[in-house]
Amino acid sequence: GGPTLKGIELAVAEWNEMGKGYTVELNVQDDAVNGVYNPEQGASNANTLVADEEVVGMVGPFNSSVARAIIPITNEFGLSQCSPANTATDLTKEGSEVYRPQNPDQRNYFRVATPDDIQGPAGAAYAYNDLEKRAALVIDDTTAFGVGVADTFEAEFEELGGTIVDRVGNDYAVNTSFSAILTAAGTEFDVVYFGGTQTLGGGQLRRDMGAADLLDIALVGPDGITDLADAGGEGAFLTLAGPENGANVHGTVAGIHDIPDPEAFAEAYGEANNGESPGAYSALAYACTQVLLQAIDANIGEAADLAGLRAAVREDIFAGEPWETVLGTINFDPNGDSSQKFISFY
């Protein structure tokens, strides 16, 4: 989440430097409790934001499970909400109606991330075609995100001709060791797919694979394990897995890596953040912020008040018009999904 927030901060700082005649300020809320994303905290944060009339747009949240708790609140109050990282299919597609109980015909949530009905199958195609694996042990972290992306991986892997040796759901709050799961699967698998995040078992799974002398077996996972953070960072995959277990791990990110001008973005990001490199979702968060800022700018002169501006921003974004972003030119379909659907592999 940290590098994602820094992408938002960079976009706002650069916007304010343009001297638009008004100042954009950030109201930053943290969805994590004890280092793990928490839907209840996310809902509390959303209530704080919608109650503030000066909040006319939102970037976030980072995790799909939190989004499920937030969208009903932001939808009720008509607050435009752009996620740079949510990938759960039901947030925009079939099933999304349950998150709009107050305004079923009004969309407010949109995203620049590519959904799991693309991410999971892309991971399967990568495992089968690029890594040439044929027998998969599939483990999910029992969250909506983890189960969803693992389901679509499993279906595509079998469609391609692969075999699912076993499918296991592991609640990391109950079981923090994967040793028994690995032992029960036997020796017939040549790849492990983990649907989930590193903090809910992805890192420990690879550590346990190392302890079981299974590092020659590839671990493949979604953006939940692809944090790109070096070992030593709190909560980083390599910290949790152990850097000695980091090789032969393959992950996806549900967005474009090869943005039109990566050097310029990395330079600006580094200058603002003591030489740091952007995270996997920094540019996507920057793009979400760009869209909201452009919508604010297009409507701020016409809106009668802040409530009117909030409504106009939402309507503008769902009008289907193109937006110029660091990711390239994008627009959003009536469901809130971006026209740009890339999966990047690491």
Side-chain angles (χ1 to χ4, degrees):
T4 308
L5 172 59
K6 290 175 182 177
I8 300 167
E9 292 172 335
L10 176 62
V12 169
E14 292 179 345
W15 188 263
N16 285 333
E17 287 174 1
M18 295 180 189
K20 292 285 186 175
Y22 56 88
T23 300
V24 177
E25 296 179 352
L26 288 176
N27 181 334
V28 180
Q29 304 289 327
D30 188 354
D31 300 328
V33 175
N34 298 323
V36 178
Y37 59 89
N38 185 284
E40 290 75 22
Q41 183 62 52
S44 176
N45 295 341
N47 279 310
T48 297
L49 293 175
V50 298
D52 185 346
E53 66 173 7
E54 293 188 326
V55 175
V56 296
M58 172 184 171
V59 181
F62 193 79
N63 298 95
S64 295
S65 295
V66 179
R68 289 185 173 90
I70 287 180
I71 295 172
I73 299 167
T74 56
N75 179 260
E76 180 180 357
F77 290 87
L79 181 67
S80 299
Q81 175 185 347
C82 180
S83 176
N86 294 162
T87 56
T89 306
D90 68 320
L91 297 179
T92 55
K93 301 184 181 183
E94 184 177 356
S96 64
E97 63 277 0
V98 303
Y99 307 119
R100 305 191 306 277
Q102 301 300 322
N103 296 304
D105 297 325
Q106 174 181 282
R107 297 276 186 167
N108 72 299
Y109 171 87
F110 63 108
R111 58 183 168 191
V112 295
T114 303
D116 286 333
D117 57 357
I118 298 175
Q119 181 173 208
Y126 178 82
Y128 190 89
N129 295 322
D130 295 87
L131 299 181
E132 299 182 341
K133 305 304 182 183
R134 295 295 180 265
L137 166 61
V138 180
I139 305 171
D140 66 70
D141 65 1
T142 73
T143 67
F145 161 67
V147 172
V149 73
D151 283 348
T152 56
F153 172 93
E154 181 177 343
E156 182 68 13
F157 194 76
E158 288 185 317
E159 180 69 21
L160 290 168
T163 300
I164 303 300
V165 173
D166 198 4
R167 170 67 186 271
V168 183
N170 183 73
D171 184 348
Y172 198 59
V174 176
N175 179 37
T176 58
S177 172
F178 293 86
S179 298
I181 294 173
L182 293 168
T183 299
T187 60
E188 300 304 314
F189 59 95
D190 56 10
V191 61
V192 176
Y193 186 82
F194 181 73
T197 66
Q198 72 259 25
T199 55
L200 292 183
Q204 185 62 44
L205 171 59
R206 192 57 178 174
R207 185 178 291 274
D208 289 342
M209 290 178 69
D213 197 26
L214 295 175
L215 295 181
D216 59 326
I217 294 178
L219 174 64
V220 179
D223 49 343
I225 70 168
T226 318
D227 60 0
L228 309 185
D230 294 333
E234 183 179 359
F237 176 84
L238 283 176
T239 302
L240 299 172
E244 68 278 8
N245 301 315
N248 203 19
V249 177
H250 309 260
T252 52
V253 163
I256 184 171
H257 174 273
D258 298 332
I259 62 177
D261 194 348
E263 293 82 8
F265 179 73
E267 181 179 357
Y269 184 95
E271 288 178 355
N273 295 288
N274 299 314
E276 293 180 20
S277 297
Y281 286 95
S282 298
L284 279 79
Y286 184 100
C288 268
T289 313
Q290 284 182 300
V291 173
L292 288 169
L293 291 171
Q294 289 173 54
I296 290 169
D297 199 56
N299 292 284
I300 196 169
E302 304 296 328
D305 52 25
L306 287 165
L309 180 58
R310 182 185 285 189
V313 166
R314 184 190 69 252
E315 292 168 3
D316 210 3
I317 288 166
F318 282 89
E321 297 300 314
W323 304 92
E324 298 302 322
T325 77
V326 71
L327 310 178
T329 303
I330 59 177
N331 63 279
F332 302 95
D333 68 20
N335 294 332
D337 278 320
S338 170
S339 56
Q340 187 184 86
K341 295 177 174 65
F342 284 94
I343 298 291
S344 301
F345 297 86
Y346 296 86

